[in-house]
Amino acid sequence: MAVALPAARFVGVDAAPGAIVRGRDLVAALGLANVTLEARAIEDYEPQTFDYVIAHGVYSWVQSAARDRLLGLCRAALAPDGVAYVSYNALPGGRALQALRDMLRFHTAALEDPHERIAEGRALLRFLVEGAPADELRARAGELLERSDASLLHDDLAEVNDPVYFHEFVAHAAQHGLRYLAEADFFEMQIGAASEPAADALLGVEDPVRREQYLDFLKGRMFRQTLLVPAERDVDRTPRPQVIEGLAVATQVQRRGELFEGPAGSTLTTDHPVVVAALERAAAAWPAAVWVRELAAPGADTAVLCDALLRAYAANLVALHVHPPAVATTPGAAPRASPLARHQAQAGALVTNLRHVSVRIEDDLGRRLITLLDGTRDRDALAAELGAFIAERGERMPEAQLREGLERSLQGLARLALLQD
């Protein structure tokens, strides 16, 4: 975010000194002047005023006194129009994970070294996947096996991991002068996936907190990403399609007749020519975003378009942007990757693209290419550098093959949103 929004100001707080040292090293390597990182416990932090407060992976993993302080900080730090984001493990879905966590902690109780705890935790999960007679237990254990070592240690082997019901979290937030706004993922609030009788019942629940709680019951939700605002702020949760006219849209939908389908299987049916043309144009621009005002032809009914885009957003078919990512959809004469991606490519396989998504680049040659994309090298210079890199490894590649592979790789990096406009 700091790379993408140089005029914004960011402050990070973490009680782990090692994490702050690594963060400061990254800030220095990227030459960022808009990020300050402080090694401090939240109990000791006196906040400034911010438009946004982000507490990801904290609330459920700290003791009750720290949870109180966390929500108190959210309220104290928020500007009048500010928004706080707090993620936490939720019930009732968290019950299943609690059982697995109990097993993991039992199995690793005698171990103190984090690497040993992770290794033994994975061994138990493999044991459950291979031998548990219950399908659900095998499935849950398999999901945990897919997590990174850091996630497994922080989330499932942590000393504290307390899921809460949504209504309990909202009540706790209210004690600290905060009120519920919405979920960070708008589509998670929709009731369209429920059966018709259940959807009708939910529509009859006027209290949004109770409605969300019953939706959690239906979904068996395990995790929430909740947005909070100062309690004295008026909240109108009625979606207003006209707001979308000032935003930008990004989408990967594919058209099949009157049906538009997203990568996750969500669909939207429309034959309205304005909407069809807009969705096709936005999809063709992926991974870039297109301003809504540019999607409608002159004189077209923008109200119809905005209403359709709101429905598509609720179905998780499109993403909406206030600040569209500066993505190049095709590699230019001297392609440029973000300084963050170039730095990350030097250290490992995971790099962050301009859509804030982690992308895995498995091969050494691909990572080397990313490090070279600083906007100063044309195709000839890139081919020469890659040829030298291949030669250093004692390998050979014909010039034509190298050039063809370079162009193919650049096109692939563009599709992965790794090239800057």
Side-chain angles (χ1 to χ4, degrees):
M1 287 188 290
V3 171
L5 301 171
R9 174 176 60 95
F10 299 86
V11 175
V13 179
D14 199 310
I20 294 297
V21 168
R22 291 192 298 274
R24 286 175 176 168
D25 289 344
L26 179 57
V27 168
L30 299 179
L32 296 174
N34 59 342
V35 181
T36 302
L37 301 178
E38 300 186 25
R40 192 172 303 184
I42 57 175
E43 293 89 341
D44 302 324
Y45 179 66
E46 294 300 326
Q48 307 165 49
T49 300
F50 295 94
D51 296 311
Y52 301 97
V53 177
I54 301 170
H56 181 62
V58 182
Y59 184 88
S60 287
W61 296 269
V62 294
Q63 300 287 355
S64 59
R67 287 198 289 272
D68 281 330
R69 176 59 177 162
L70 175 64
L71 292 178
L73 275 177
C74 287
R75 179 61 188 90
L78 278 183
D81 289 333
V83 177
Y85 162 105
V86 182
S87 67
Y88 50 96
N89 283 340
L91 295 172
R95 296 285 188 211
L97 289 181
Q98 276 183 309
L100 267 177
R101 179 173 175 274
D102 290 343
M103 299 177 202
L104 287 167
R105 287 182 59 76
F106 172 83
H107 184 66
T108 61
L111 303 176
E112 294 185 4
D113 181 79
H115 299 288
E116 292 181 8
R117 296 184 70 212
I118 292 169
E120 282 302 311
R122 291 194 179 281
L124 176 65
L125 291 172
R126 285 191 291 270
F127 168 76
L128 295 173
V129 168
E130 294 166 0
D135 291 342
E136 184 175 352
L137 179 59
R138 289 200 306 271
R140 297 291 184 211
E143 291 172 3
L144 292 192
L145 268 177
E146 295 297 319
R147 292 187 178 182
S148 67
D149 287 351
S151 176
L152 191 64
L153 184 66
H154 175 272
D155 289 1
D156 306 294
L157 293 170
E159 181 179 349
V160 179
N161 187 331
D162 294 331
V164 296
Y165 283 104
F166 171 67
H167 71 90
E168 295 174 330
F169 174 80
V170 173
H172 191 198
Q175 294 173 13
H176 296 276
L178 297 163
R179 67 187 303 182
Y180 175 61
L181 175 64
E183 289 304 294
D185 290 324
F186 183 61
F187 63 87
E188 291 285 7
M189 303 171 63
Q190 309 309 307
I191 62 176
S195 67
E196 187 173 342
D200 289 341
L202 286 171
L203 287 172
V205 180
E206 294 185 4
D207 180 0
V209 173
R210 291 184 65 85
R211 185 168 58 246
E212 284 292 312
Q213 184 60 78
Y214 286 123
L215 190 56
D216 280 8
F217 293 160
L218 283 176
K219 290 184 173 184
R221 187 158 10 216
M222 297 182 180
F223 186 70
R224 269 189 172 266
Q225 302 172 92
T226 296
L227 304 181
L228 303 168
V229 294
E232 63 273 17
R233 181 171 163 187
D234 290 333
V235 173
D236 180 5
R237 295 184 182 83
T238 305
R240 297 190 300 276
Q242 62 269 28
V243 173
I244 292 177
E245 194 168 354
L247 303 177
V249 175
T251 184
Q252 290 181 279
V253 293
Q254 293 185 338
R255 183 184 179 187
R256 293 180 176 85
E258 295 181 0
L259 185 72
F260 287 85
E261 183 175 0
S266 299
T267 60
L268 175 74
T269 300
T270 180
D271 62 355
H272 197 289
V274 172
V275 179
V276 169
L279 288 174
E280 287 188 328
R281 181 179 173 190
W286 178 266
V290 183
W291 291 105
V292 172
R293 59 178 175 266
E294 297 175 3
L295 288 175
D301 188 349
T302 57
V304 170
L305 174 59
C306 290
D307 181 70
L309 290 175
L310 179 59
R311 288 187 286 119
Y313 181 56
N316 199 25
L317 283 169
V318 305
L320 298 175
H321 296 272
V322 176
H323 300 283
V327 176
T329 56
T330 57
R336 176 183 173 87
S338 80
L340 176 59
R342 297 201 308 271
H343 179 86
Q344 291 173 322
Q346 296 175 4
L350 282 179
V351 299
T352 305
N353 71 9
L354 295 164
R355 299 193 59 82
H356 302 248
V357 175
S358 293
V359 176
R360 184 173 292 276
I361 308 296
E362 296 288 358
D363 63 296
D364 293 342
L365 193 60
R367 292 195 294 273
R368 175 59 176 162
L369 173 59
I370 292 175
T371 66
L372 297 172
L373 299 179
D374 60 1
T376 67
R377 296 176 174 88
D378 60 12
R379 300 296 195 283
D380 291 339
L382 290 171
E385 294 265 12
L386 292 178
F389 179 75
I390 293 171
E392 288 173 3
R393 300 193 302 181
E395 302 172 3
R396 296 182 60 188
M397 182 179 293
E399 178 73 14
Q401 182 180 348
L402 175 61
R403 294 273 182 167
E404 181 181 347
L406 169 60
E407 195 60 38
R408 188 167 56 248
S409 295
L410 290 174
Q411 296 289 344
L413 294 178
R415 287 193 297 273
L416 291 172
L418 281 165
L419 299 186
Q420 285 185 326
D421 187 4

